[in-house]
Amino acid sequence: MSFIKHVFIVSCVVGGVAFLLSLNVFKHQRDQFISYIPQSIKDRIFGSPESQFKGRLFTVEELGKYRGNDGGDIYLAVLGQVFDVTKGRKHYGPGGTYHFFTGNAGTRAFVSGDFTKEGLKEDITGLSLRDIQGLAGWVDFYHEQYTYLGKLIGHFYDENGNPTEAMAEFKRKHEEALQKQKEENEDLRKFPPCNSENKVGISRRLWCTENSGGIKRDWTGVPRQYFQPGHSQARCACVRDKGPPSFGTSASNNGDLDNPNMKVYDGCEPTATSCNFKD
């Protein structure tokens, strides 16, 4: 049998199987077959969850119907994305700890802690960058743990499912939050927090190790008051006392001891790795 005939027969068989699986009578077999396909391949073939449900839009009124009453489905929305949380009925159903989130567009409450009628709203104006990161974390959580259904028409998406200016502003704030977090992580790497121990009314101890602040490194450092720009209060930082500085172009071999934002603690030896203070 020629190669062309082989290809023709295989194509017919595959096409026939695909046709049969497309019939509703074979829905169970079709779903079972699809379940064996790796998620990465399904995303490329069928599209990501968001693109797969791009055309499914909810109004606030429609969302309000899904609160789990009489054993019904339970939906909630965060940042304009709607999720089916029915499998978490214990928590989201009537009487559950998080029932107030269901059937509502209450994005702000996810980070504000205000679960009243006034607090369950979409407006996130004035939230801190930490709160913005928190909202992004909630969206990731629901994508991982529950089923994404579509978009909520209103504050974050228009009637066509396109992002509004409010969503664009959220994305700008989120990028700013990620950049700030990156800078803070770098600052902690350069100036790790000290270990601390307090005995109320007796003494206080601050000290540095190669793992203080949970940041592993190949140097110990000495405790210093670190007046970090943009912060109202100083914190204890372990500062390198040898090698080139982390800032400027100084040829000093004193590490970061000459950093103008560092100050020796009163009553602590400048070269000590541990400082003890009496209350």
Side-chain angles (χ1 to χ4, degrees):
M1 188 180 293
S2 68
F3 175 76
I4 295 178
K5 287 184 178 180
H6 274 295
V7 173
F8 177 77
I9 292 174
V10 171
S11 298
C12 289
V13 171
V14 172
V17 171
F19 172 74
L20 290 174
L21 288 176
S22 70
L23 301 176
N24 286 335
V25 69
F26 293 108
K27 182 178 185 300
H28 175 72
Q29 289 82 356
R30 179 173 68 247
D31 291 343
Q32 189 173 25
F33 172 75
I34 291 176
S35 71
Y36 293 134
I37 302 175
Q39 187 61 48
S40 59
I41 297 177
K42 282 193 286 189
D43 286 348
R44 288 196 294 269
I45 297 175
F46 304 110
S48 64
E50 184 156 352
S51 64
Q52 187 176 354
F53 293 104
K54 186 175 181 180
R56 188 169 183 182
L57 301 174
F58 293 82
T59 62
V60 173
E61 292 72 24
E62 183 182 5
L63 180 66
K65 299 176 182 178
Y66 297 95
R67 303 203 69 206
N69 297 324
D70 300 321
D73 290 343
I74 308 172
Y75 298 172
L76 62 71
V78 56
L79 277 176
Q81 298 186 45
V82 180
F83 298 90
D84 183 342
V85 296
T86 306
K87 71 177 185 180
R89 185 179 300 277
K90 177 181 178 181
H91 305 291
Y92 295 100
T97 308
Y98 305 116
H99 183 58
F100 45 76
F101 280 129
T102 64
N104 280 320
T107 295
R108 191 182 188 90
F110 278 88
V111 292
S112 71
D114 182 356
F115 307 128
T116 65
K117 185 176 180 180
E118 292 73 23
L120 288 163
K121 58 185 178 181
E122 293 291 78
D123 183 21
I124 58 174
T125 303
L127 290 183
S128 68
L129 294 182
R130 186 178 296 275
D131 288 335
I132 294 297
Q133 278 189 291
L135 287 176
W138 276 113
V139 172
D140 289 342
F141 167 78
Y142 284 111
H143 272 293
E144 292 172 1
Q145 300 296 325
Y146 295 97
T147 302
Y148 171 80
L149 297 176
K151 299 172 182 176
L152 182 67
I153 298 172
H155 194 70
F156 295 106
Y157 294 97
D158 64 21
E159 63 276 7
N160 297 313
N162 297 317
T164 63
E165 177 54 34
M167 176 54 77
E169 177 63 17
F170 170 80
K171 289 184 176 180
R172 286 193 290 268
K173 288 290 185 182
H174 189 220
E175 286 297 321
E176 184 180 349
L178 291 176
Q179 179 59 35
K180 184 175 179 61
Q181 184 64 59
K182 181 179 178 181
E183 293 171 358
E184 289 182 352
N185 290 342
E186 177 62 18
D187 189 73
L188 287 173
R189 187 188 67 78
K190 289 181 180 178
F191 309 119
C194 308
N195 294 315
S196 64
E197 180 182 54
N198 288 295
K199 295 181 179 179
V200 180
I202 302 176
S203 64
R204 178 188 181 209
R205 181 188 176 207
L206 300 172
W207 75 101
C208 296
T209 66
E210 291 185 358
N211 194 36
S212 52
I215 299 175
K216 294 182 179 181
R217 52 196 187 274
D218 58 3
W219 51 274
T220 300
V222 295
R224 289 289 188 273
Q225 293 185 74
Y226 177 26
F227 294 88
Q228 187 177 1
H231 292 253
S232 59
Q233 293 183 333
R235 68 171 175 87
C236 184
C238 291
V239 180
R240 286 189 308 108
D241 54 349
K242 295 180 179 64
S246 300
F247 67 99
T249 58
S250 172
S252 168
N253 195 43
N254 297 325
D256 290 315
L257 295 182
D258 298 327
N259 188 315
N261 296 317
M262 301 297 174
K263 181 182 177 182
V264 178
Y265 281 96
D266 291 338
C268 183
E269 289 295 325
T271 59
T273 60
S274 179
C275 299
N276 294 278
F277 311 94
K278 290 184 178 181
D279 282 354

